[in-house]
Amino acid sequence: MNMAGGIPLLLAYAAIICAVMSGAISLFAVRRHPGFLHTGSFLFLFIAGMADVVAGGWALLANLIVTDQLALGLPWLEWHLRLDPLSGFFLVLLGTLVTATSLYGPSYTREYTHGEAPQPLPPLGVFTATFVLGMQMLLLADDALVFMIFWEMMSLSGYFLVVYQHQHAGNRHAAFLYLLLAHVGALVILLAFGVLAAFGGGLTFAQMRAAPLSPLWATLAFAFAFLGFGTKAGMVPLHVWLPDAHPVAPSHISALMSGVMLKMGIYGIIRVSYDLIGEVRWEWGVAMLIVGTASALLGVLYALMQHDLKRLLAYHSIENIGIILMGLGMSMIFLGSGHPLLGTLGLVAALYHTLNHALFKGLLFLGAGAVLYRTHERDLEHMGGLIQRMPVTAFMFLVGSVAISALPPFNGFVSEWLTFQTALQAPALDNGVLRMIMPIAAALLALTGALAAACFVKAFGIAFLGRPRSRHVAHAREVPRGMLLGMGLLAVLCLVLGILPVPMIEAMAPITQLLVHSALPSATAQGWLWLTPVSPDVASYSAPFVMLALILVFGLGYLFLKRGAVPTRRCSPWDCGFGQLNHRMEYTSTAFTQPIRRIFGAVWKVEESVETSTVGVGPIRRVTGINHYLHVQDWSWLKVYLPIGSLVLEAARRIGFIQTGSIHTYLKYSFWTLIFLLWIVSI
Amino acid sequence: MNSLGIAWMLAAVQTLIFVAAAPLLAGWVKRLKCHMQNRAAPVVWQPYRDLAKLLQKDMVLAANASWLFRATPYIVFGATLLAAAAVPLIVVHLPTAAIADMIVLVGFFALARFFTALAALDIGTAFGGMGASREMTVAALAEPAMLLVVFTLSMTAGTTNLSAATEFVLQAGLVLRPSFLFSLFALAMVAVAESGRIPVDNPATHLELTMLHEAMILEYGGRHLALIEWASQVKLLIYTVLIVDLFFPWGIAREFTAGALALGIVAVTAKAMLLAVVLVTWETVLAKMRLFRVPQFLGFAFLLSLLGMLTSIVLETGG
Amino acid sequence: MELTSLGIYNQAIILFAALVLFTSFAMLAQTRIVQLIFTFAWQGLLLAVVTILVAMVSDHPHLYVSAALTLALKVVLIPWLLYRLSVRLNMNYEAEAIANPSLLLLGGAALVMFSYFIAVPVVHLSGLATRNTIAVSIAVELLGMLIMTTRKTAMAQVIGFMSMENGLFFAAVVSTYGMPLIVELGVAFDVMVASILFGVFFFHLRDSFDSLDVSHLNRLSETNDSLPLQEANGEERP
């Protein structure tokens, strides 16, 4: 072990041990000391998270590459581990979210012990620990065996976490779908590693890096990696498991899954294509750009139609993964066309958005969990007015909403701005068609961003503003302090990453140096105040100024307008003279998105009907009720998955004839197989 | 230090002039409209009187208005003020132009719109919901066209910084660019949609079925309404100056001498007045469209901007 | 070559080429018959202006004759014939419904990108200042064909056909400084005769099917036994 860089690796090991301890506590300290279990397991997770942040941050900032070999695993293949800036970056991401979740978790999981439908807590603790452990180890993996073992550990733990509340059939179906697609993805990833290992002569990443790959095999390896890791990341059309699985998991687990697990897919794509394969080709970038744009647009359009808050957030994860893939695609196009600086810009934009998405998506899921904790309600159509009842949660959720809608001065805006700036450099390319495709992709990204803002106006507005639409929401209280602390941590980070982008980009320079051997000197050349990705004449943005100006306006407004004024009166809102406004007259979530549903109607399968129930006949007929029924379905489910499913079932039916049920037939099978094998061996 | 100090002072003065002159443009537009429709017109500085009246009025808030409702006018005004600081009105090469480029400008407007829509949903009336829903839809449809215009301009000028783009157009002289022609019309259509003018929205109506922007701010009164009205006037001036700067920038000051600045003020005033005439003619000739015709209008704007981008690549760059 | 290095006349040629492309798009989405005819006339006018500009820049005076021919035929005679036809057939107030105008326009944009893609090798060969407009001329032609394939009324299809010829003429002007005059005269006469024949054809179509919707021609197929439209008056058809 390299002692100079030894401390970060030791810290990473300490984090791993803490995760194991957290799981062990959940498993063993069951009946005697339930409080100890609770707090203890989350305490160890907290320490693990902090250790991960420090270890990853150290490796990133100090530009370290530390390798190690553990005498575990197979006799001829030890476990190779490696901590380099890329792993460090993702460890920081993982650690931050684990820390926030461990602050949030103790209060949230009380619902499972003291709530209406009690669940045993140990499985949750154990599988959370193995989930985190899986992710930590796969980031440190330096050979395919370790990687796949812990990838599977992450997926399986995810399954048990999704199916935690297994009493509902819907949860079991969602978990099954998740497991199915996770395994298909893992199989394809294995194929990718297989191609690389075959040419490299071994399973270690070092051997794969040195493997000489012809363009065809490199493209094949990339395609397998893209499909396999993309399934985990949730790109269209391999996304169907996401909107079902993320909502049914416990909310702090949804935050971890959406915030970190999806990013493991992105980590895999970056590791395999930029690091292991090495030479990226621009054609891969085009494919990635197209898939990313489609994911972004379809993700946000499907999210708009949801009125289950957590399902809406899950679809937004698909959208943001699409944006990250767009950044990576543009980076590959530039790198493959011989523009390393611009490729670096795209990579930086994609990595920045990865971190940002983890932060604000984690925050949003924790907020949704807080609402769920107090109101037991996930449906937007039953919420409302929570800004009065749960003011701090509402503020946190607002911060998350503003961040995800890519509005200044928060962090989502910076990464989208960098993505746009990457696309704007398209004129540097020679290929005219590519020069046309990139602006169109950027225009679709703009459409996506605006639709995402509309979706979060809807989500925040219907859930927190207005009047309560049901009784238990009207009596909600604020959540405990631990949950607020967890959300607050992420909210503060969202603001900090938005105001100080330049130090962040400087911090990411080691990653780009490692992967593409180039950095962005011009981005940070003007100091911490100005972000100038290409050059000051081309584009610049100063987030601290924006923040300062907003604070100034508030301050001046308070000084001049509010202080000397007459105190405001309160009265009832404008009701056109009809009087008696109640919550039924407010806009609902479905109503809010009706114009969009009409304009973009071809994107969804919409079944909408209005049923009027009447009483009486003829001139004395009276309407007693009007029911509006709306069902919006995902086309990919109907056009892609159901046909594949029925094809598989049909094929199984056809082959089923070999299962006759008769012992004689089975004995005959064994007999003929034996004869055949003996004959083969003797040749 | 000295020239940098002067630059920052000029920037602050320019922003103040921007914000102070916006109601004048609104008054001039109203006056032209009345004349064109054969009505008696108010004086040009009537909007100042309206703003002063609103600032002094007592405030009445709905019973269930939250802190978000009270904070939104300041956020909206702040975001619009920042946008105004970034657009060169009289002189280019000011340091505030480096705070934001054209994409950040769009981001500022998006921030203002986000909070206005939230404030509309805050009170819990159907008006607010309707206004918010429609406004966010129209804005979403206008974004691709706006971005493609920015793209087309930046592909030719090589920058998204407004100051640098204006400088580029000034230096290039008279060049007939079809991409700029298409982008001009696309930007004009997007500007009409974003500032809520006919045919997308009627700024003078308060009928529930025809409101977009007005429906969102229906519950506001007193100094809050003053700030929001002022912000929408500044927004109209921003779009006007944007069109002037990018397509007809001749006359804008390039040095910090008194003569150049005076010429800059005169030039931008004359051009803004001319554009107001065009806007008023357009508004008088067209009628407001129903909401589900707006996607076609904005789709046409997107087509124009797409054509601008395509002709820029096909026709204007080296073969 | 940079746009700024070309002279003002060449820049004007490029500008008008872009406007010709725009009229093609306008015809693609235009539903009203009379406006369609006027847009076609505008396209002809813009083409004549381009031809005159090319004649002024290069040293080919026969292009002035071409421009005059285009003006006479494509701007005055054929639109007037078509307008008279539409008045006599009582179609001048009609508008047809296009299924998906946004999709159609986006398809047109994709066609422009495709035309650029196939024109790139050709453009490299040419040495003219206006060589970038070759892609635009191919696009105008393809857009004319798109108009023919996606519209239902016969009048729109005729306009699409004429617009294809516009594209051909434009391609000839910008890539080889025009076709030989004999060829031009021949093509011009063919186009005029075609428009007269179309007029006769319209009357026959209307007499047989009582409408100018060309999908009615489906029933002439021997294997197609489904009627495209329900008969409004319930009259029996064989």
Side-chain angles (χ1 to χ4, degrees):
Chain A
M1 193 164 68
N2 180 2
M3 277 317 287
I7 302 183
L9 196 58
L10 276 177
L11 278 172
Y13 287 158
I16 292 171
I17 294 177
C18 286
V20 173
M21 286 296 298
S22 163
I25 288 185
S26 304
L27 193 56
F28 294 118
V30 175
R31 251 176 293 270
R32 297 281 181 77
H33 314 279
F36 179 50
L37 172 158
H38 219 146
T39 341
S41 64
F42 280 112
L43 182 65
F44 272 104
L45 269 183
F46 178 80
I47 300 176
M50 297 290 285
D52 269 329
V53 172
V54 176
W58 194 323
L60 182 61
L61 293 172
N63 200 356
L64 295 171
I65 301 182
V66 193
T67 54
D68 193 14
Q69 285 182 336
L70 297 179
L72 301 166
L74 301 170
W76 63 91
L77 184 67
E78 296 183 328
W79 280 7
H80 293 77
L81 299 175
R82 170 176 149 136
L83 178 62
D84 61 9
L86 182 64
S87 321
F89 180 76
F90 280 92
L91 272 177
V92 168
L93 203 153
L94 172 65
T96 315
L97 257 114
V98 168
T99 314
T101 311
S102 59
L103 289 169
Y104 180 93
S107 318
Y108 184 76
T109 46
R110 288 185 77 233
E111 180 185 353
Y112 296 119
T113 49
H114 301 301
E116 300 156 350
Q119 300 272 4
L121 217 44
L124 185 61
V126 168
F127 287 116
T128 311
T130 48
F131 189 58
V132 173
L133 178 68
M135 289 194 282
Q136 285 171 328
M137 281 300 285
L138 84 88
L139 285 174
L140 290 174
D142 199 32
D143 71 67
L145 192 62
V146 177
F147 192 92
M148 287 312 298
I149 290 176
F150 288 99
W151 183 268
E152 285 294 323
M153 180 183 267
M154 176 182 78
S155 299
L156 282 175
S157 317
Y159 169 76
F160 286 112
L161 290 169
V162 169
V163 84
Y164 180 61
Q165 289 169 299
H166 55 89
Q167 290 84 8
H168 303 287
N171 298 3
R172 295 198 295 268
H173 286 156
F176 174 73
L177 190 59
Y178 159 78
L179 192 64
L180 178 68
L181 278 165
H183 268 110
V184 169
L187 207 63
V188 182
I189 296 175
L190 207 56
L191 285 174
F193 280 135
V195 170
L196 288 170
F199 282 93
L203 282 173
T204 63
F205 282 2
Q207 286 167 317
M208 290 185 196
R209 274 185 205 107
L213 286 168
S214 69
L216 176 66
W217 282 107
T219 310
L220 208 58
F222 169 76
F224 284 141
F226 187 45
L227 282 174
F229 286 116
T231 312
K232 179 61 75 183
M235 63 188 199
V236 162
L238 303 163
H239 66 284
V240 277
W241 60 272
L242 240 176
D244 289 330
H246 281 199
V248 303
S251 303
H252 63 297
I253 301 299
S254 302
L256 272 181
M257 287 176 92
S258 226
V260 197
M261 191 177 73
L262 301 186
K263 311 302 180 299
M264 295 298 126
I266 300 289
Y267 168 76
I269 293 177
I270 297 181
R271 178 64 82 187
V272 171
S273 33
Y274 283 89
D275 195 18
L276 297 182
I277 298 182
E279 293 290 319
V280 293
R281 307 180 65 79
W282 64 269
E283 293 92 346
W284 306 351
V286 174
M288 225 179 212
L289 183 65
I290 294 178
V291 170
T293 315
S295 301
L297 200 55
L298 286 175
V300 76
L301 283 172
Y302 277 105
L304 273 163
M305 291 300 118
Q306 307 303 321
H307 53 89
D308 176 337
L309 184 56
K310 287 175 79 170
R311 220 177 140 89
L312 184 149
L313 293 174
Y315 270 113
H316 269 289
S317 294
I318 299 175
E319 172 217 341
N320 280 290
I321 292 290
I323 298 179
I324 297 174
L325 287 176
M326 281 174 81
L328 282 177
M330 290 194 284
S331 160
M332 281 191 188
I333 292 178
F334 280 122
L335 283 173
S337 311
H339 297 94
L341 268 179
L342 298 176
T344 315
L345 182 61
L347 185 60
V348 165
L351 285 172
Y352 208 143
H353 199 76
T354 310
L355 183 60
N356 288 342
H357 178 239
L359 291 175
F360 52 63
K361 190 43 67 68
L363 175 61
L364 286 168
F365 263 111
L366 293 182
V371 172
L372 184 60
Y373 180 72
R374 278 302 188 208
T375 63
H376 301 290
E377 194 57 70
R378 254 166 52 181
D379 192 349
L380 279 175
E381 313 282 28
H382 296 152
M383 299 186 199
L386 286 170
I387 197 173
Q388 321 272 9
R389 313 288 317 175
M390 304 168 75
V392 186
T393 310
F395 183 74
M396 303 292 174
F397 201 90
L398 180 64
V399 169
S401 305
V402 176
I404 198 173
S405 309
L407 300 173
F410 285 93
N411 55 355
F413 178 72
V414 180
S415 49
E416 269 205 27
W417 188 73
L418 285 172
T419 315
F420 279 129
Q421 290 298 333
T422 315
L424 273 169
Q425 302 306 316
L429 294 169
D430 294 322
N431 189 334
V433 181
L434 280 181
R435 270 185 291 154
M436 289 178 184
I437 291 183
M438 281 177 82
I440 294 181
L444 288 176
L445 179 63
L447 178 64
T448 305
L451 285 174
C455 191
F456 273 93
V457 165
K458 173 187 95 157
F460 184 77
I462 306 284
F464 289 92
L465 303 175
R467 298 161 202 277
R469 291 178 181 80
S470 61
R471 232 188 31 198
H472 44 275
V473 170
H475 297 304
R477 287 178 296 130
E478 187 57 88
V479 290
R481 242 172 324 167
M483 293 166 77
L484 293 176
L485 208 58
M487 290 194 278
L489 173 67
L490 293 175
V492 165
L493 281 174
C494 279
L495 185 62
V496 166
L497 255 71
I499 300 185
L500 299 174
V502 177
M504 277 306 304
I505 295 184
E506 265 174 15
M508 283 196 252
I511 310 179
T512 57
Q513 274 294 351
L514 173 72
L515 293 176
V516 297
H517 310 296
S518 131
L520 278 181
S522 54
T524 56
Q526 306 293 318
W528 66 276
L529 208 55
W530 307 94
L531 177 60
T532 57
V534 180
S535 105
D537 295 324
V538 173
S540 61
Y541 169 55
S542 174
F545 263 119
V546 173
M547 193 70 203
L548 189 69
L550 285 174
I551 295 177
L552 205 69
V553 167
F554 267 99
L556 288 174
Y558 181 72
L559 272 178
F560 289 119
L561 295 179
K562 182 150 167 63
R563 262 200 341 190
V566 177
T568 54
R569 272 191 300 133
R570 294 284 183 149
C571 69
S572 51
W574 170 244
D575 54 13
C576 264
F578 288 115
Q580 305 209 341
L581 285 181
N582 61 24
H583 68 277
R584 296 299 313 275
M585 300 173 190
E586 284 184 283
Y587 249 50
T588 60
S589 147
T590 317
F592 192 90
T593 50
Q594 189 256 3
I596 297 181
R597 188 164 62 243
R598 230 177 109 155
I599 294 172
F600 290 101
V603 174
W604 312 274
K605 184 174 188 321
V606 179
E607 291 159 5
E608 191 171 2
S609 64
V610 177
E611 286 158 15
T612 324
S613 44
T614 55
V615 123
V617 70
I620 54 170
R621 208 158 74 147
R622 236 176 55 238
V623 173
T624 50
I626 303 180
N627 277 11
H628 175 246
Y629 167 78
L630 177 72
H631 188 49
V632 173
Q633 262 187 307
D634 196 336
W635 270 125
S636 55
W637 183 245
L638 293 167
K639 299 277 187 182
V640 178
Y641 289 91
L642 284 183
I644 292 181
S646 50
L647 207 69
V648 169
L649 285 176
E650 182 64 30
R653 211 170 50 82
R654 294 286 172 89
I655 303 181
F657 77 92
I658 64 174
Q659 184 189 36
T660 57
S662 139
I663 287 224
H664 282 111
T665 329
Y666 297 149
L667 285 173
K668 282 194 197 126
Y669 288 152
S670 313
F671 178 65
W672 285 110
T673 313
L674 189 61
I675 305 262
F676 182 64
L677 283 175
L678 286 172
W679 176 62
I680 292 274
V681 168
S682 70
I683 288 182
Chain B
M1 174 59 208
N2 210 1
S3 68
L4 195 63
I6 293 182
W8 276 104
M9 234 178 50
L10 262 179
V13 167
Q14 180 182 269
T15 313
L16 283 174
I17 295 182
F18 208 118
V19 171
L24 202 59
L25 178 70
W28 170 245
V29 165
K30 186 128 184 87
R31 206 175 158 79
L32 280 175
K33 211 171 193 178
C34 290
H35 278 308
M36 206 170 267
Q37 294 172 356
N38 230 351
R39 296 186 270 143
V43 288
V44 177
W45 55 86
Q46 180 65 26
Y48 291 109
R49 290 185 188 165
D50 291 333
L51 285 178
K53 171 189 79 173
L54 283 172
L55 280 172
Q56 291 163 20
K57 273 176 106 169
D58 287 355
M59 190 118 79
V60 178
L61 284 181
N64 57 337
S66 64
W67 61 265
L68 191 96
F69 189 82
R70 295 201 304 265
T72 295
Y74 298 101
I75 298 177
V76 169
F77 193 73
T80 320
L81 185 74
L82 275 167
V87 177
L89 177 72
I90 306 171
V91 49
V92 288
H93 294 316
L94 285 178
T96 45
I99 294 180
D101 67 341
M102 287 189 253
I103 302 179
V104 184
L105 206 69
V106 173
F108 286 143
F109 289 138
L111 179 68
R113 188 169 45 235
F114 188 84
F115 276 96
T116 317
L118 280 182
L121 285 172
D122 189 36
I123 306 293
T125 58
F127 288 121
M130 190 182 68
S133 149
R134 292 172 165 194
E135 174 79 16
M136 298 306 289
T137 310
V138 168
L141 294 172
E143 289 268 328
M146 178 80 186
L147 194 86
L148 267 184
V149 168
V150 170
F151 246 91
T152 313
L153 296 171
S154 89
M155 282 203 289
T156 316
T159 170
T160 48
N161 186 324
L162 272 165
S163 204
T166 313
E167 186 71 38
F168 174 85
V169 179
L170 275 175
Q171 273 177 349
L174 179 65
V175 182
L176 297 175
R177 294 180 206 269
S179 64
F180 271 41
L181 184 67
F182 287 130
S183 302
L184 170 64
F185 284 108
L187 184 60
M189 288 172 83
V190 167
V192 159
E194 292 261 328
S195 36
R197 315 297 303 188
I198 291 179
V200 174
D201 183 14
N202 189 345
T205 182
H206 282 87
L207 300 172
E208 47 267 28
L209 291 180
T210 60
M211 294 191 281
L212 261 78
H213 182 71
E214 292 295 318
M216 290 196 293
I217 60 176
L218 200 62
E219 289 289 331
Y220 276 115
R223 55 181 182 269
H224 289 167
L225 186 60
L227 284 175
I228 291 188
E229 285 285 315
W230 201 352
S232 63
Q233 288 161 352
V234 173
K235 191 169 175 177
L236 182 64
L237 184 58
I238 289 178
Y239 272 110
T240 310
V241 175
L242 204 62
I243 293 179
V244 161
D245 273 350
L246 292 171
F247 298 105
F248 317 106
W250 306 285
I252 202 167
R254 294 158 86 169
E255 312 114 9
F256 298 158
T257 61
L261 289 174
L263 179 63
I265 295 180
V266 167
V268 76
T269 315
K271 284 181 267 185
M273 286 168 71
L274 266 175
L275 269 181
V277 172
V278 173
L279 175 68
V280 167
T281 317
W282 162 277
E283 286 204 312
T284 314
V285 164
L286 292 177
K288 182 186 174 315
M289 292 188 294
R290 52 181 284 253
L291 180 71
F292 289 110
R293 293 277 310 264
V294 175
Q296 288 176 20
F297 179 78
L298 290 170
F300 186 59
F302 179 69
L303 177 72
L304 280 175
S305 59
L306 188 62
L307 271 179
M309 192 266 296
L310 289 176
T311 53
S312 163
I313 293 179
V314 173
L315 290 173
E316 292 175 14
T317 50
Chain C
M1 93 190 36
E2 270 302 317
L3 190 66
T4 44
S5 63
L6 300 171
I8 193 81
Y9 284 119
N10 282 323
Q11 289 178 6
I13 292 174
I14 289 181
L15 180 68
F16 279 99
L19 289 176
V20 168
L21 185 63
F22 178 67
T23 52
S24 258
F25 273 97
M27 285 196 284
L28 196 58
Q30 184 60 261
T31 50
R32 292 187 230 145
I33 307 279
V34 172
Q35 303 286 22
L36 195 59
I37 298 175
F38 278 146
T39 316
F40 173 68
W42 270 106
Q43 191 176 56
L45 181 64
L46 289 168
L47 266 180
V49 171
V50 169
T51 317
I52 294 179
L53 281 172
V54 172
M56 287 202 287
V57 167
S58 67
D59 228 353
H60 294 84
H62 74 86
L63 282 177
Y64 286 113
V65 180
S66 287
L69 210 58
T70 308
L71 210 61
L73 271 180
K74 303 263 184 61
V75 182
V76 176
L77 191 60
I78 293 181
W80 178 71
L81 274 179
L82 289 175
Y83 179 70
R84 248 192 32 164
L85 207 54
S86 67
V87 166
R88 282 180 60 190
L89 292 172
N90 276 328
M91 288 180 355
N92 52 337
Y93 291 121
E94 275 180 23
E96 74 175 278
I98 304 182
N100 234 333
S102 344
L103 216 59
L104 202 58
L105 290 172
L106 290 176
L111 266 182
V112 174
M113 288 170 62
F114 179 69
S115 316
Y116 174 72
F117 174 62
I118 59 176
V120 164
V122 176
V123 165
H124 280 307
L125 291 174
S126 164
L128 301 178
T130 55
R131 62 185 191 233
N132 285 334
T133 48
I134 293 177
V136 170
S137 57
I138 300 180
V140 169
E141 197 181 325
L142 289 177
L143 282 170
M145 196 177 285
L146 187 66
I147 295 175
M148 279 184 79
T149 51
T150 54
R151 302 289 285 257
K152 289 202 297 272
T153 51
M155 181 67 79
Q157 299 201 326
V158 170
I159 301 258
F161 172 76
M162 304 286 185
S163 161
M164 273 179 72
E165 208 278 327
N166 272 350
L168 273 175
F169 175 71
F170 189 30
V173 166
V174 295
S175 54
T176 59
Y177 287 146
M179 303 182 267
L181 204 55
I182 290 287
V183 175
E184 292 225 12
L185 280 175
V187 172
F189 262 119
D190 280 341
V191 166
M192 209 179 76
V193 167
S195 62
I196 296 178
L197 280 179
F198 272 122
V200 175
F201 174 61
F202 284 172
F203 278 106
H204 274 280
L205 195 61
R206 214 237 339 226
D207 282 339
S208 311
F209 298 113
D210 212 13
S211 105
L212 280 180
D213 191 332
V214 296
S215 56
H216 284 209
L217 289 170
N218 282 0
R219 69 183 73 196
L220 296 174
S221 154
E222 292 185 355
T223 57
N224 183 5
D225 49 5
S226 62
L227 291 180
L229 288 180
Q230 286 303 318
E231 298 303 327
N233 48 11
E235 226 180 294
E236 291 218 315
R237 300 275 176 202

